[in-house]
């Protein structure tokens, strides 16, 4: 063998090893070579590893890193890179418009700086207790959590807990006790710890806690509206007044779904001077724009003006629905290989969001589907949905009778949506029905 042929053989082996390494990294199975074209038996197929690698890697097409945009199918390397890029874009869209969890970064609490300032003014400076109330998905929990983060940074202690429907007063406060014991003076810890083993009243709690603590504590009670026992609510009202009267270093933030303070807490008039009420109302247009603009920046997906307008109209000022509809529309655009949300992506996003909601509220979703097909009802349905989104209540004279199965009625005849997230989904369904009508009529002609 000559020196030239030895070098050629050496170079061939180096390329072969390099090809093996690249194919291993791609984790792809190449097309079959002529030598292995014969179909294996059923038994040998079953025993074959999924990621089997070939013995022949001489085909240059397998290793081409990219393909011309119009070539179909793409090479394994091109498919791999494109799939990873798509997953990356999807992940960015989901993170940028995260609708499933409360905001945990104060810089993402867009449109709620006024409410946060009101909390700081009333709770921190005036030492009042607070009631944070609003519709589901309005951002109440996010607001409370960000306030808690600010309290921690100021070397106070904020403790968060969510109530359940059958909670009594002692059960409601018992989860906070270990944290209170840890903060208490050593000589007072035994009295606080003893509460964990007994049913106690508001007065017993204040008697043990007020003299024991030195740092300011904020007890955040979320889902307060779920408490069904009147005695428990009455004891909470007594707790707030006793804490204020004794100037204890403990303040309470109640968070719940309600249209006003009376719906959330039935308290005697003298309690009101100890409370700051923080209503969390629907977003205004500027706040909706800010949320979408921030999502654009973080996701790399563009929402043109028309797409923003359609999503904003369906969301009706609900931060949850703005993020949900934007996320679904952004994902629809990514599926189409686009970084811009056109109207087809908006419609696909609204449909996907409706389908997801229907999986947990099938009866209301089926009713909306049926009613929105009736052109004579759409304006009344839209008015009811807008009232429900803005005020949580629909005046008796504005309630379409056909919508009654999705509503609950108050003693004065007003109506509320049984699912407080439903008004925006009704608006989304009406939007899709209105856009489908011209094409449906054209097809009929």
């Amino acid at each position: 063998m000559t020196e030239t042929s030895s070098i050629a053989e050496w170079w061939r082996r180096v390329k072969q090893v390099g090809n093996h390494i690249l194919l291993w990294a791609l984790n792809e199975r190449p097309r079959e070579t002529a030598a292995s074209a014969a179909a294996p038996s059923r038994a040998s197929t079953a025993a074959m590893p999924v990621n089997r690698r070939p013995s022949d890697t001489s085909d240059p097409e397998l290793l081409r890193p990219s393909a011309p945009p119009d070539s179909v199918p793409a090479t394994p390397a091109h498919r791999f890179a494109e799939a990873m890029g798509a997953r990356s874009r999807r992940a960015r869209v989901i993170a940028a418009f995260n609708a499933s969890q409360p905001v945990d970064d104060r810089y993402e609490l867009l449109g709620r700086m006024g409410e946060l300032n009101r909390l700081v003014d009333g709770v921190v400076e005036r030492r009042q207790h607070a009631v944070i109330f609003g519709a589901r998905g309005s951002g109440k929990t996010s607001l409370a959590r960000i306030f808690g983060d600010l309290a921690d940074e100021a070397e106070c202690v904020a403790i968060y807990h969510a109530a359940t429907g059958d909670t009594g007063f002692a059960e409601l406060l018992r989860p906070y006790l270990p944290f209170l014991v840890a903060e208490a003076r050593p000589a007072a810890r035994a009295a606080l710890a003893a509460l964990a083993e007994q049913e106690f009243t508001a007065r017993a709690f204040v008697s043990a806690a007020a003299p024991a603590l030195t740092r300011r504590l904020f007890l955040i009670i979320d889902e307060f509206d779920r408490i069904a026992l009147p005695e428990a609510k009455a004891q909470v009202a007594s707790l707030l007044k006793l804490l204020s009267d004794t100037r204890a270093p403990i303040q309470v933030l109640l968070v719940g779904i309600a249209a006003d303070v009376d719906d959330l807490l039935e308290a005697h008039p003298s309690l009101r001077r100890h409370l700051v009420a923080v209503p969390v109302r629907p977003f205004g247009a500027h706040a909706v724009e800010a949320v979408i603009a921030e999502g654009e920046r973080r996701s790399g997906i563009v929402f043109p003006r028309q797409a923003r307008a359609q999503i904003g109209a369906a969301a009706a000022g609900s931060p949850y629905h703005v993020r949900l509809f934007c996320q679904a529309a952004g994902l629809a655009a990514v599926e189409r290989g686009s970084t811009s949300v056109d109207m087809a992506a908006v419609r696909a996003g609204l449909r996907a969001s409706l389908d997801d909601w229907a999986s947990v509220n099938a009866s209301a979703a089926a009713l909306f589907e049926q009613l929105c097909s009736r052109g004579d009802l759409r304006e009344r349905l839209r008015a009811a949905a807008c009232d429900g989104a803005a005020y949580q209540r629909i005046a008796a004279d504005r309630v379409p009778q056909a919508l009654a199965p999705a509503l609950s009625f108050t003693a004065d005849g007003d109506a509320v949506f049984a699912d407080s997230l439903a008004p925006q989904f009704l608006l989304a369904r009406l939007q899709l029905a209105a856009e489908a009508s011209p094409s449906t009529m054209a097809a009929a002609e």
Side-chain angles (χ1 to χ4, degrees):
M1 183 180 295
T2 66
E3 183 176 347
T4 302
S5 60
S6 297
I7 293 173
E9 176 64 12
W10 173 82
W11 181 243
R12 187 186 69 80
R13 290 180 179 275
V14 169
K15 288 195 295 184
Q16 189 176 45
V17 170
N19 287 342
H20 272 292
I21 293 172
L22 183 55
L23 284 171
W24 175 84
L26 291 174
N27 197 22
E28 291 277 351
R29 181 189 298 188
R31 63 190 71 157
E32 297 289 346
T33 61
S36 59
S41 67
R42 189 177 297 269
S44 63
T45 302
M48 189 180 295
V50 173
N51 294 325
R52 179 176 62 85
R53 295 172 182 82
S55 57
D56 182 5
T57 59
S58 60
D59 187 348
E61 286 295 319
L62 295 175
L63 303 180
R64 186 175 297 168
S66 60
D70 298 330
S71 66
V72 179
T75 65
H78 183 266
R79 293 204 320 272
F80 180 91
E82 192 157 291
M84 290 300 292
R87 290 191 190 99
S88 177
R89 287 195 296 274
R90 284 182 60 86
R92 289 202 302 272
V93 170
I94 292 169
F97 296 104
N98 186 358
S100 62
Q101 296 175 327
V103 168
D104 59 2
D105 183 341
R106 77 193 63 171
Y107 301 107
E108 295 178 26
L109 194 67
L110 301 168
R112 295 299 182 207
M113 287 302 109
E115 289 86 347
L116 188 56
N117 280 326
R118 184 170 175 80
L119 270 180
V120 171
D121 176 69
V123 177
V124 180
E125 296 179 350
R126 301 176 188 272
R127 292 182 173 264
Q128 295 173 300
H129 306 291
V131 179
I132 304 171
F133 62 95
R136 187 187 304 175
S138 59
K140 303 179 302 298
T141 299
S142 296
L143 180 63
R145 286 184 177 275
I146 296 303
F147 175 86
D149 288 344
L150 294 176
D152 289 340
E153 287 183 7
E155 298 187 356
C156 301
V157 178
I159 311 169
Y160 174 94
H161 182 66
T164 56
D166 56 353
T167 300
F169 176 74
E171 292 174 278
L172 178 66
L173 290 188
R174 197 165 279 126
Y176 298 94
L177 288 176
F179 300 95
L180 297 178
V181 170
E183 287 293 324
R185 296 183 179 92
R189 288 175 184 167
L192 268 174
L195 294 178
E197 307 299 328
Q198 57 186 269
E199 292 297 317
F200 54 87
T201 63
R203 187 168 296 278
F205 177 85
V206 173
S207 297
L213 302 168
T214 55
R215 283 205 293 175
R216 290 179 71 177
L217 276 83
F218 303 102
L219 306 184
I220 301 173
I221 304 177
D222 203 354
E223 307 284 353
F224 184 74
D225 57 288
R226 295 180 62 188
I227 298 176
L229 298 176
E231 312 86 62
K233 286 193 173 185
Q235 282 291 307
V236 170
S238 296
L239 173 68
L240 301 186
K241 190 167 190 312
L242 286 168
L243 288 172
S244 295
D245 290 345
T246 58
R247 302 179 65 87
I250 302 175
Q251 290 165 265
V252 180
L253 284 76
L254 304 176
V255 185
I257 300 169
D260 55 45
V261 176
D262 288 335
D263 284 349
L264 189 63
L265 179 64
E266 297 174 3
H268 45 77
S270 65
L271 180 61
R272 295 184 180 275
R273 65 190 177 92
H274 301 300
L275 284 173
V276 56
V278 184
V280 183
R281 303 297 189 199
F283 267 170
H286 290 301
V288 171
E289 284 287 324
V291 169
I292 297 177
E294 176 64 13
E296 282 184 325
R297 185 188 68 79
R298 297 180 60 201
S299 68
I301 301 295
V302 176
F303 287 77
R305 182 178 299 276
Q306 188 178 8
R308 293 183 183 211
Q310 292 294 314
I311 289 172
S318 164
Y320 166 77
H321 290 90
V322 171
R323 290 186 170 92
L324 180 70
F325 296 156
C326 282
Q327 184 185 91
L331 291 175
V334 168
E335 290 296 325
R336 291 169 166 79
S338 175
T339 58
S340 180
V341 175
D342 59 12
M343 292 311 298
V346 171
R347 289 190 291 271
L350 293 179
R351 289 191 196 97
S353 300
L354 281 163
D355 289 345
D356 287 345
W357 177 68
S359 68
V360 296
N361 201 335
S363 58
L367 178 66
F368 291 176
E369 182 81 17
Q370 174 191 349
L371 297 182
C372 290
S373 65
R374 294 177 52 181
D376 61 314
L377 268 182
R378 286 180 191 162
E379 285 309 312
R380 294 194 66 200
L381 291 172
R382 182 173 287 104
C386 288
D387 284 355
Y391 312 114
Q392 300 180 59
R393 291 194 179 190
I394 311 167
D397 60 348
R398 289 170 64 87
V399 178
Q401 189 59 37
L403 191 59
L407 305 173
S408 299
F409 292 87
T410 64
D412 55 5
D414 288 347
V416 296
F417 280 89
D419 180 348
S420 59
L421 296 177
Q424 289 82 1
F425 288 111
L426 177 54
L427 289 171
R429 189 65 195 83
L430 284 165
Q431 192 175 111
L432 292 173
E435 292 175 358
S437 294
S439 60
T440 303
M441 293 173 59
E445 291 174 358

